[in-house]
Amino acid sequence: MKSRLLAGVLLATTALFPISAFADGGTLIIGVEADQGKVDYSQNPSLQGTNTATLINEGLLIPDENNSPAPALAESWVVSDDATQITFNLRKGVKFHDGSDFNAADVVWNIEHHMNTEGALFGPIFKQFIASIDTPDDHTVVLNLSKPSASFIGTFADRYDNMFVIQAPESFDADGNFIEPIGTGPFKFGEWVQGDSLTLVKNENYWNADLPKVDEVVMKVIADPSSRLNALRSGDVHITRKLPFEAVEAGMETKPEGYRIATSIGQTITTNFNINYEPLADVRVRRAFAHALNREDMNLAVTFGLGIATEQYYPAGTPWHSPNVKPLEYNPEKARELLAEAGYPDGFEVTYMAAHNNPELVEAANVWQAMLAEVGIDLKVEALDEATSINRSFSGDWQMQSYGFGMFSDPDTLYLKAFYPDGIYWAATTGSNAIDEITANLDAGGAEGDPEKRRAIYDEIAQQLVDEAPWIFLFNYPFSYGVSDKVENYTPLANDWSYAGGGLPYATLSD
């Protein structure tokens, strides 16, 4: 099964720019697992909102088929030898959906908006790194960094989870209140019926005159995976993702009638500890959780073996995998000893929060519940809608929870958000607690220009994440997609299924 799955992933990541053979036009209907959450993409949206962002609002850069930075609104860029300055050369002739010109002033406005608005997605990381901005002309932006960073360029390119995208200042009123998303992307905002659907319409003045192919995209919310699959089978939707694992397994054995199964590189599922919660503040307790975990059994139970058990963020076979990491082995007796040593010989109660529209997270929580019961820990599973779960996470009001993180091209793109003080996910992933050794290594790794030395630093961070256990990494599983036979020239790419670098803008519909 894994060899077939890998072949599917490689196939899905090779055809970045397919050529359309079918007639353009029509309405493409997508079955999505959750609502947008927000359409102000400077704020933290839901996962589905993240997927929609670059269809409406593009970034300066975008990842290519190898998940490396590629041109988008910036045609080219230069990083200084000392990694303290980045120069972006912007694409000319680009217009926002309202007809206004895109230029360097808009980039500066968006960066400053993030830095000056509480809750803006990239505010903390911009404040940490950007000392000043120069605009020598309308199509050149120079970022002067306060400290060297070999990885900061990844902030503008990494697609999975969230990417910095450009919104027209006219998206906001004079008081700074958000009105609607106005971007430069291949699709324009049409209508959002919260909890039901989002409609996007073709941008007739898109800078790439060959795109998009369809006239309209409707993203229809269907929370249940089996219901999404049934909608695909009946023709009510053309594309959907996160299918039931058993349907993916069967569909890769034999092509289903009327649709096909596609896969792209997946995400690593984590368990995160809020180390403000007294029992979890003790590293011995967190290590006890790790010793109570049988990763292979969890992977089999949750993904039917389609995933890959992993003790680190980057699984085997990915470029940043650290092969010499020593995991905390499955050993329930050791777990009980550590709990007793930490003062919890009879265990304790803890609440595990998971978004119910992500069945892999809920199922992982249920498996945890059974495994932890064996060492005396009473885990209560709290399944919430995604928007509530995200809001609770960012407020720090949680004890344990799961996330899924796709494969960022540079580890700093995740680590600086999650493990560095004031990172945008800091409250949502550790309860705003720092581990000094990891912080020091992130400083060193970001400033190190030598690839081999930098690699050694991140290998050490991978081991520190195992030993300190602010997170426990569970398994990596592929994104799965069901695609109607009526759809051609659609390729889901690494970490996403819809963004402007590939995917939906290229899709065509047959009669």
Side-chain angles (χ1 to χ4, degrees):
M1 173 54 66
K2 287 181 181 177
S3 62
R4 293 201 312 275
L5 192 56
L6 180 58
V9 170
L10 292 175
L11 177 64
T13 57
T14 53
L16 180 61
F17 299 113
I19 299 173
S20 174
F22 282 22
D24 297 350
T27 297
L28 187 64
I29 304 174
I30 315 297
V32 300
E33 65 269 24
D35 197 15
Q36 296 295 304
K38 295 177 182 177
V39 289
D40 175 2
Y41 300 121
S42 67
Q43 303 291 316
N44 186 67
S46 68
L47 179 58
Q48 178 54 36
T50 296
N51 290 332
T52 307
T54 53
L55 295 174
I56 302 174
N57 298 95
E58 298 173 291
L60 295 177
L61 307 178
I62 205 161
D64 64 11
E65 68 272 25
N66 298 313
N67 219 22
S68 298
L73 290 179
E75 290 187 307
S76 63
W77 63 97
V78 177
V79 180
S80 65
D81 291 340
D82 62 359
T84 62
Q85 189 178 79
I86 304 172
T87 300
F88 291 105
N89 300 304
L90 305 182
R91 190 177 299 276
K92 297 178 181 178
V94 176
K95 290 186 178 293
F96 285 106
H97 297 154
D98 64 357
S100 60
D101 293 328
F102 160 74
N103 56 40
D106 297 306
V107 177
V108 175
W109 185 92
N110 275 267
I111 291 174
E112 291 180 344
H113 175 74
H114 278 258
M115 294 175 73
N116 297 327
T117 304
E118 184 176 353
L121 196 57
F122 286 93
I125 198 168
F126 286 162
K127 287 179 181 178
Q128 179 185 336
F129 281 99
I130 297 177
S132 62
I133 309 173
D134 297 324
T135 53
D137 56 56
D138 283 348
H139 294 93
T140 306
V141 175
V142 182
L143 304 183
N144 303 299
L145 307 186
S146 56
K147 55 185 176 181
S149 175
S151 62
F152 188 60
I153 194 69
T155 301
F156 297 91
D158 264 300
R159 176 67 197 99
Y160 185 76
D161 188 31
N162 290 292
M163 185 175 72
F164 175 66
V165 293
I166 301 296
Q167 301 191 103
E170 288 73 21
S171 297
F172 300 84
D173 65 21
D175 297 323
N177 299 309
F178 181 74
I179 304 171
E180 67 177 29
I182 302 172
T184 61
F187 292 97
K188 298 185 290 186
F189 177 76
E191 180 185 23
W192 180 27
V193 180
Q194 294 191 35
D196 180 78
S197 63
L198 174 73
T199 300
L200 307 179
V201 296
K202 180 176 183 176
N203 176 10
E204 299 285 357
N205 298 311
Y206 187 48
W207 54 264
N208 183 341
D210 293 331
L211 298 178
K213 299 298 185 180
V214 297
D215 295 326
E216 190 176 61
V217 171
V218 177
M219 297 187 172
K220 187 175 180 180
V221 178
I222 308 173
D224 178 66
S226 295
S227 298
R228 290 197 298 276
L229 179 59
N230 289 335
L232 177 67
R233 288 170 171 166
S234 68
D236 289 340
V237 303
H238 295 111
I239 301 172
T240 190
R241 75 165 191 171
K242 285 196 173 183
L243 302 173
F245 285 114
E246 59 270 28
V248 177
E249 185 175 20
M252 295 186 73
E253 292 280 358
T254 304
K255 182 190 175 302
E257 183 178 352
Y259 67 96
R260 60 193 181 274
I261 298 293
T263 59
S264 70
I265 191 169
Q267 54 182 192
T268 293
I269 303 301
T270 68
T271 290
N272 307 334
F273 295 112
N274 186 335
I275 51 184
N276 289 316
Y277 181 55
E278 184 175 349
L280 302 177
D282 193 319
V283 69
R284 295 170 296 185
V285 171
R286 302 197 299 272
R287 289 175 180 167
F289 276 80
H291 286 300
L293 170 66
N294 186 324
R295 282 187 177 82
E296 294 295 340
D297 282 358
M298 176 168 287
N299 177 52
L300 185 62
V302 178
T303 78
F304 292 80
L306 290 170
I308 302 172
T310 182
E311 76 289 338
Q312 56 183 290
Y313 168 44
Y314 290 102
T318 56
W320 279 96
H321 178 74
S322 299
N324 296 321
V325 165
K326 296 180 174 60
L328 299 175
E329 79 283 359
Y330 173 58
N331 187 337
E333 183 58 36
K334 178 66 173 177
R336 285 187 282 267
E337 290 174 3
L338 285 170
L339 288 171
E341 184 181 323
Y344 301 98
D346 300 320
F348 57 90
E349 181 180 303
V350 62
T351 299
Y352 198 114
M353 186 173 72
H356 61 60
N357 61 285
N358 292 295
E360 69 280 0
L361 304 186
V362 177
E363 286 304 312
N366 291 333
V367 174
W368 260 126
Q369 188 177 56
M371 290 180 176
L372 292 172
E374 294 185 13
V375 300
I377 294 175
D378 182 12
L379 186 143
K380 307 293 187 184
V381 178
E382 185 179 17
L384 305 170
D385 67 89
E386 187 175 67
T388 301
S389 178
I390 288 174
N391 289 336
R392 285 270 299 276
S393 295
F394 276 76
S395 73
D397 179 21
W398 58 280
Q399 295 174 4
M400 288 176 62
Q401 63 181 321
S402 272
Y403 272 116
F405 289 98
M407 297 292 96
F408 291 107
S409 59
D410 190 290
D412 268 3
T413 310
L414 173 61
Y415 293 166
L416 288 176
K417 295 175 183 177
F419 301 117
Y420 202 89
D422 294 323
I424 60 176
Y425 298 149
W426 199 34
T429 51
T430 66
S432 300
N433 275 277
I435 297 170
D436 292 341
E437 296 86 349
I438 295 175
T439 301
N441 264 338
L442 288 172
D443 281 331
E448 180 55 67
D450 184 294
E452 290 187 10
K453 291 179 180 178
R454 191 164 186 259
R455 162 73 67 172
I457 292 170
Y458 287 89
D459 286 347
E460 186 175 346
I461 291 174
Q463 186 64 59
Q464 288 173 326
L465 289 173
V466 169
D467 295 340
E468 296 292 335
W471 292 2
I472 295 178
F473 300 96
L474 307 179
F475 54 86
N476 184 277
Y477 83 104
F479 286 129
S480 60
Y481 307 85
V483 183
S484 168
D485 289 344
K486 293 184 177 181
V487 177
E488 292 289 334
N489 305 311
Y490 167 74
T491 302
L493 302 181
N495 294 332
D496 200 357
W497 64 337
S498 58
Y499 67 82
L504 296 184
Y506 295 86
T508 56
L509 286 170
S510 65
D511 295 331

